[in-house]
Amino acid sequence: MKRIHLKPQDPCWCGSGHLYSECHQPLDQKIAYYKKRGHIVPSHSLIRTPAEIAGIQASADINTVVLDAVAAAICEGMSTEEIDKIVYDTTTARGAICAPLNYEGYPKSVCTSVNNEVCHGIPSHRRKLKAGDIVNVDVSTIYNGFYSDASRMFMIGEVSDENRRLVEETKECLNRAIAAAQAWHFVGDIGAAVQSYAESCGYSVVRELGGHGVGLKFHDDPFVSHIGKKNTGMLLVPGMVMTVEPMINMGSARVEMDRYNGWTIYTQDGKPSAQWEHTILITEDGPQILTY
């Protein structure tokens, strides 16, 4: 989709609510101010127009409906293949496309990562959920060419106190990360918020994987690391859309890829991992959650 050429009387693409004529130049000047001081700043191609934000939100609304459908059905004894069918059927019934399906050869419509699977677990009729399992269901949707992405953790039956705490504290890592994603702050602030809290709980943070820009592509800049230092990384500017998705391990941060399927990432020590993911929009008034 081509970017809209805004007229002076149109609302600015930054999402502030001001007219383009009143807001655009000061915004560019502010970005230039940070760039002159050596900070990494986004190009305009990473700042969404109002029309693009509306398209992403429509995709995100479907993505949330799909995760709600999974939440209503997931249970002990269900196979991860059945979760895949729920995702596919719910998505296509709304005229949307499951973004993972056939993406770089990925064979399924959703990722279902159980226990020590950090991410990219491939659904299978042989994998049955049992009491005590924790599972991440990662849904990504394309609607009218716009992308959205979110995941939730589910606890099956009675889970151990350790696993429950991991799931709950990982959600708190997500909440803190989003709270740190303020306009005119930095991507490094997000990583710093996650890392400091996770490590204070005795957990480790996966380094190799992270959040990303999303909206017009499945994966776009910036890469959102969940470790980092404040005031480092790309400047967060109103209109940017990205995922925040901390992956938190109960044991070591080290991970390894399944050598047979080339997709699934496991904790190297076999201990559980948890992840929550939201897609957010950066605005002058704070981060806005688009899908969860």
Side-chain angles (χ1 to χ4, degrees):
M1 179 177 178
K2 293 181 179 179
R3 292 185 60 81
I4 294 173
H5 297 286
L6 298 178
K7 299 177 181 178
Q9 67 270 25
D10 290 334
C12 184
W13 40 257
C14 75
S16 66
H18 299 300
L19 296 180
Y20 180 72
S21 59
E22 298 173 349
C23 189
H24 178 72
Q25 186 64 26
L27 191 73
D28 278 354
Q29 289 176 347
K30 197 166 185 178
I31 293 172
Y33 170 87
Y34 283 93
K35 185 175 182 179
K36 286 180 180 178
R37 280 151 183 79
H39 294 289
I40 302 167
V41 301
S43 66
H44 276 200
S45 67
L46 297 181
I47 302 172
R48 306 277 71 89
T49 68
E52 290 168 346
I53 291 169
I56 296 166
Q57 183 65 75
S59 173
D61 289 344
I62 294 172
N63 202 79
T64 300
V65 168
V66 174
L67 274 165
D68 286 344
V70 171
I74 195 168
C75 62
E76 183 179 350
M78 173 181 281
S79 71
T80 52
E81 178 71 31
E82 290 175 271
I83 297 172
D84 187 78
K85 187 176 188 305
I86 291 169
V87 170
Y88 180 83
D89 289 348
T90 307
T91 302
T92 56
R94 285 157 179 78
I97 298 168
C98 300
L101 186 59
N102 300 318
Y103 175 76
E104 296 186 355
Y106 187 78
K108 296 293 181 176
S109 299
V110 67
C111 297
T112 53
S113 304
V114 184
N115 297 331
N116 67 319
E117 295 174 340
V118 177
C119 62
H120 305 160
I122 300 176
S124 168
H125 68 274
R126 289 189 289 271
R127 187 63 181 266
K128 305 282 188 180
L129 298 180
K130 61 183 185 299
D133 284 343
I134 58 173
V135 55
N136 178 268
V137 179
D138 191 345
V139 172
S140 308
T141 301
I142 311 170
Y143 183 65
N144 290 337
F146 294 99
Y147 291 77
S148 56
D149 192 3
S151 77
R152 300 181 195 173
M153 291 297 300
F154 297 97
M155 295 182 281
I156 308 302
E158 292 295 324
V159 303
S160 68
D161 290 342
E162 281 188 332
N163 281 0
R164 180 177 297 277
R165 179 173 177 264
L166 175 65
V167 170
E168 292 173 349
E169 297 292 18
T170 301
K171 183 65 177 293
E172 180 60 21
C173 285
L174 174 69
N175 293 339
R176 291 177 181 236
I178 293 173
Q182 300 291 330
W184 311 113
H185 290 216
F186 300 90
V187 170
D189 297 0
I190 297 172
V194 173
Q195 185 177 9
S196 62
Y197 187 75
E199 291 179 354
S200 75
C201 295
Y203 300 135
S204 63
V205 183
V206 174
R207 267 71 168 163
E208 294 85 348
L209 302 137
H212 51 87
V214 70
L216 305 190
K217 301 177 183 177
F218 198 169
H219 299 98
D220 206 345
D221 290 331
F223 174 72
V224 182
S225 176
H226 297 112
I227 62 169
K229 296 180 180 180
K230 288 185 176 182
N231 302 315
T232 65
M234 186 178 285
L235 180 69
L236 298 172
V237 174
M240 295 174 72
V241 178
M242 65 193 67
T243 71
V244 180
E245 46 183 303
M247 301 169 208
I248 308 300
N249 293 350
M250 188 178 291
S252 167
R254 293 183 179 180
V255 298
E256 58 188 15
M257 180 181 288
D258 189 306
R259 61 179 178 173
Y260 297 107
N261 68 37
W263 279 101
T264 306
I265 305 295
Y266 300 91
T267 58
Q268 195 174 84
D269 59 14
K271 293 185 178 180
S273 182
Q275 176 194 13
W276 293 84
E277 176 185 13
H278 292 350
T279 293
I280 64 170
L281 166 68
I282 305 300
T283 80
E284 289 282 8
D285 297 323
Q288 177 184 335
I289 296 171
L290 302 183
T291 185
Y292 54 89

